[in-house]
């Protein structure tokens, strides 16, 4: 016989374990916001690259941009114009498409670090300010770190299907190191 003060208890069901690397599901609003940011920032940078490479949109082309790089203290101005133009064009198109987003964002991040260094920090606001360059730099880094969202080519690449912060952080660090190397060769 059991004691009236002791009541039998049923075993409690254990709470389901949450895997440690569970990614919160993205919402359509989040993914659409990232898509808009990627398109605007990526296509803006691709257009800047086309100015340098082809002289489109009122740009100087390779020779005009090369003269600017030489005057800014970079060696081999034409080569730097090609490097900057390709980085901006390919990085911008990659970012817009959401293709290799961590690398595309990091390429633009590094390029814009150089742009800020060349422009100088005499003022924050236009016309001599760096606010535009700083905004593009931060946007590129943010996209490299957060990933492209659901509406991106990266969703079809097994390695980048589930964006990891480590991919973005390593890519941004690489962009910063390469930007520093380019700044060191500048007079």
């Amino acid at each position: 016989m059991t004691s009236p003060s002791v009541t039998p208890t049923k075993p409690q069901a254990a709470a389901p374990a949450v895997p440690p690397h569970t990614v919160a599901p993205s919402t359509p609003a989040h993914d659409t916001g990232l898509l808009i940011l990627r398109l605007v920032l990526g296509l803006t940078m691709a257009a800047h690259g086309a100015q340098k490479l082809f002289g489109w949109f009122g740009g100087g082309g390779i020779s005009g941009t090369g003269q600017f790089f030489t005057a800014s203290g970079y060696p081999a101005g034409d080569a730097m114009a090609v490097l900057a133009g390709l980085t901006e064009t390919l990085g911008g198109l990659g970012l817009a498409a959401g293709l290799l987003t961590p690398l595309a964002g990091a390429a633009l991040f590094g390029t814009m670090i150089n742009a800020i260094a060349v422009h100088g920090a005499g003022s924050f606001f236009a016309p001599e300010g760096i606010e535009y360059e700083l905004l593009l730099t931060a946007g590129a880094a943010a996209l490299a770190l957060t990933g492209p969202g659901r509406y991106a080519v990266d969703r079809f690449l097994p390695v980048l299907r589930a964006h990891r912060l480590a991919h973005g952080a390593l890519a941004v660090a690489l962009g910063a190191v390469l930007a520093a190397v380019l700044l060191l060769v500048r007079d």
Side-chain angles (χ1 to χ4, degrees):
M1 187 163 176
T2 61
S3 161
S5 63
V6 176
T7 57
T9 58
K10 292 183 185 180
Q12 299 264 335
V18 176
H21 298 293
T22 300
V23 176
S26 59
T27 64
H30 176 260
D31 294 324
T32 302
L34 287 172
L35 174 64
I36 291 169
L37 180 59
R38 282 192 358 255
L39 287 172
V40 171
L41 197 146
L43 294 177
T44 297
M45 291 305 298
H48 276 280
Q51 286 181 307
K52 290 173 179 64
L53 291 174
F54 311 116
W56 296 352
F57 313 115
I62 292 174
S63 64
T65 304
Q67 291 172 4
F68 169 79
F69 274 108
T70 300
S72 297
Y74 288 95
D78 286 354
M80 292 301 297
V82 170
L83 178 64
L86 286 173
T87 302
E88 290 177 2
T89 302
L90 297 177
L93 292 175
L95 202 61
L99 175 63
L100 302 175
T101 303
L103 290 176
L108 298 179
F109 174 76
T111 300
M112 294 312 299
I113 287 174
N114 271 266
I116 289 172
V118 168
H119 196 94
S123 174
F124 183 75
F125 296 105
E128 291 88 28
I130 61 165
E131 82 276 9
Y132 175 67
E133 292 87 354
L134 185 62
L135 182 63
L136 293 173
T137 306
L143 286 168
L145 294 170
T146 62
R150 188 177 305 165
Y151 311 127
V153 176
D154 282 353
R155 298 281 295 180
F156 300 105
L157 302 176
V159 173
L160 296 174
R161 185 172 294 137
H163 182 79
R164 289 174 178 75
L165 178 60
H167 293 150
L170 287 172
V172 168
L174 176 64
V177 167
L178 293 175
V181 167
L182 283 177
L183 287 172
L184 289 175
V185 301
R186 184 174 168 236
D187 289 336

